[in-house]
Amino acid sequence: MIIDSHAHYAHNRFNNEFPSICESDEGYDIINTDLESLFLQMKENGIVGTIEASIGFDDLGKQLKLTEEHRDYMWHSIGVHPTRCIRTKWRNRREVSRLAKESSPVAIGETGLDYHYPRCEQHRFLQKLWFVYHIKLAYRLNLPLILHIRDADHDALKILTKYKKMLHGGVVHCFSGDMSSAKEYIALGFSLGIGGKLLLNDEKGKELCEIVSNIPIGSLMVETDAPFVLPDIKDISCSRNQRRRLCNSSLILPSVIRKIAELHGVSCATVEELIFKNTVETFSLLPMHFQNVQKTTNLSLS
């Protein structure tokens, strides 16, 4: 059984029909589908649930509506993404807090620091302000954090270390740091979120493979960040417009599991079991949720 620990199925790109990526005998293929059909196919492939991570304050209503409609399959977090907090009024934190208390999220986030794009110091100050606010909110509600850290590991780890007594674990979504920062996050009680980047055939993909091969499997989670962070799709035959609209989905997760198993020299079943257990325990997911799910995926390395 596989849980997608980070996706955005409430995103506008999943409205109506859309082109989505899936596994095929040759690697990957494209299917034209809608969200309900995609969820059915995910279940048939052993994806037993997905965590819908918050991005923007204005998107919270749509996110909560979707997870309520699929409460037997989806969980949610509450938070404001670091690049969205720049245009989110500080007073809106009260509404974030109210929704976090009333909507039963499994985590706070995604939150953190994003220094990837050039920003003035005032922008970074606001990111840090919201980051600390999210840490304290998670502490009050006894919830883990979903972290978004991009080109900012030094500052993020400095803040997390300062407030380490308030931490209840969580995951570093779409981990992109080095081995040193990976070990520091794990020492603070966080897992590393691994997705499509592990399947890239470039330098970044190779660097991530090296890190993952040296990290205990029980400190990993699998994710997609759907509709973003696609694996290597250069060999897929499609039109330019279709490629531009192509959505990532949880259907790539068996490939991620298979790659982790290959890097560690163990069976896919072992990887799947350890990561499933870590995800369930980190987010306090109820076992009863999975009782009626029949596992049909075949994750053989051969």
Side-chain angles (χ1 to χ4, degrees):
M1 294 188 287
I2 303 172
I3 297 170
D4 190 337
S5 66
H6 194 110
H8 303 289
Y9 286 113
H11 194 280
N12 289 337
R13 287 174 64 179
F14 289 111
N15 292 350
N16 306 313
E17 189 175 273
F18 52 87
S20 179
I21 191 168
C22 66
E23 283 190 308
S24 71
D25 293 339
E26 290 75 32
Y28 302 105
D29 205 348
I30 296 175
I31 55 172
N32 287 306
T33 186
D34 57 49
L35 199 55
E36 297 303 318
S37 299
L38 178 63
F39 283 169
L40 283 174
Q41 191 166 351
M42 284 161 53
K43 292 174 183 178
E44 290 170 358
N45 283 272
I47 317 299
V48 300
T50 177
I51 296 176
E52 184 73 10
S54 285
I55 300 180
F57 177 78
D58 295 335
D59 303 320
L60 288 173
K62 183 179 180 182
Q63 174 202 1
L64 293 175
K65 183 176 184 293
L66 180 67
T67 53
E68 174 61 23
E69 291 171 350
H70 296 274
R71 58 182 178 271
D72 63 334
Y73 194 64
M74 303 180 79
W75 304 272
H76 71 277
S77 67
I78 292 288
V80 181
H81 190 285
T83 61
R84 297 290 187 91
C85 70
I86 294 164
R87 56 179 184 265
T88 303
K89 292 182 178 7
W90 179 237
R91 66 172 178 268
N92 287 339
R93 73 191 186 282
R94 298 186 181 92
E95 181 65 7
V96 172
S97 178
R98 183 188 70 79
L99 289 172
K101 292 173 182 175
E102 295 178 1
S103 68
S104 301
V106 297
I108 298 299
E110 51 188 286
T111 181
L113 304 174
D114 191 319
Y115 293 175
H116 182 67
Y117 302 103
R119 302 180 191 279
C120 65
E121 284 304 309
Q122 177 65 8
H123 287 174
R124 293 189 176 184
F125 170 78
L126 288 171
Q127 288 190 31
K128 291 174 182 177
L129 189 67
W130 275 95
F131 188 17
V132 172
Y133 166 75
H134 284 110
I135 291 172
K136 292 180 177 179
L137 178 61
Y139 172 70
R140 291 198 300 272
L141 299 179
N142 195 31
L143 289 172
L145 291 162
I146 294 177
L147 300 180
H148 173 104
I149 312 296
R150 193 175 187 191
D151 298 339
D153 292 294
H154 178 269
D155 283 1
L157 284 163
K158 188 175 180 180
I159 291 171
L160 291 168
T161 300
K162 179 178 180 180
Y163 293 97
K164 64 181 179 181
K165 291 184 179 179
M166 289 187 170
L167 302 177
H168 294 293
V171 61
V172 188
H173 142 67
C174 199
F175 176 76
S176 59
D178 57 18
M179 181 64 76
S180 176
S181 61
K183 291 179 178 178
E184 288 187 66
Y185 286 121
I186 291 170
L188 287 167
F190 291 92
S191 296
L192 308 184
I194 306 298
K197 284 187 177 182
L198 191 70
L199 305 174
L200 294 177
N201 296 315
D202 59 12
E203 273 310 306
K204 289 186 177 180
K206 292 176 183 176
E207 289 172 8
L208 186 56
C209 283
E210 178 65 23
I211 292 170
V212 168
S213 66
N214 287 283
I215 295 297
I217 298 169
S219 293
L220 301 175
M221 292 186 194
V222 290
E223 61 163 69
T224 57
D225 201 25
F228 312 111
V229 195
L230 291 159
D232 196 330
I233 59 168
K234 64 179 182 294
D235 294 331
I236 290 181
S237 177
C238 62
S239 68
R240 180 179 298 179
N241 182 56
Q242 195 174 36
R243 188 177 293 268
R244 180 179 57 82
R245 296 175 55 238
L246 186 57
C247 295
N248 194 11
S249 84
S250 305
L251 292 175
I252 74 161
L253 291 181
S255 293
V256 178
I257 293 282
R258 192 177 296 113
K259 185 65 176 181
I260 295 171
E262 177 187 318
L263 291 169
H264 280 267
V266 298
S267 70
C268 290
T270 296
V271 173
E272 189 176 331
E273 181 181 358
L274 289 171
I275 289 179
F276 177 81
K277 181 175 184 290
N278 181 35
T279 308
V280 168
E281 290 179 351
T282 297
F283 295 109
S284 299
L285 307 180
L286 298 176
M288 61 181 291
H289 179 90
F290 313 107
Q291 286 178 357
N292 297 320
V293 177
Q294 181 177 1
K295 180 181 175 184
T296 59
T297 186
N298 179 5
L299 293 177
S300 169
L301 276 175
S302 60

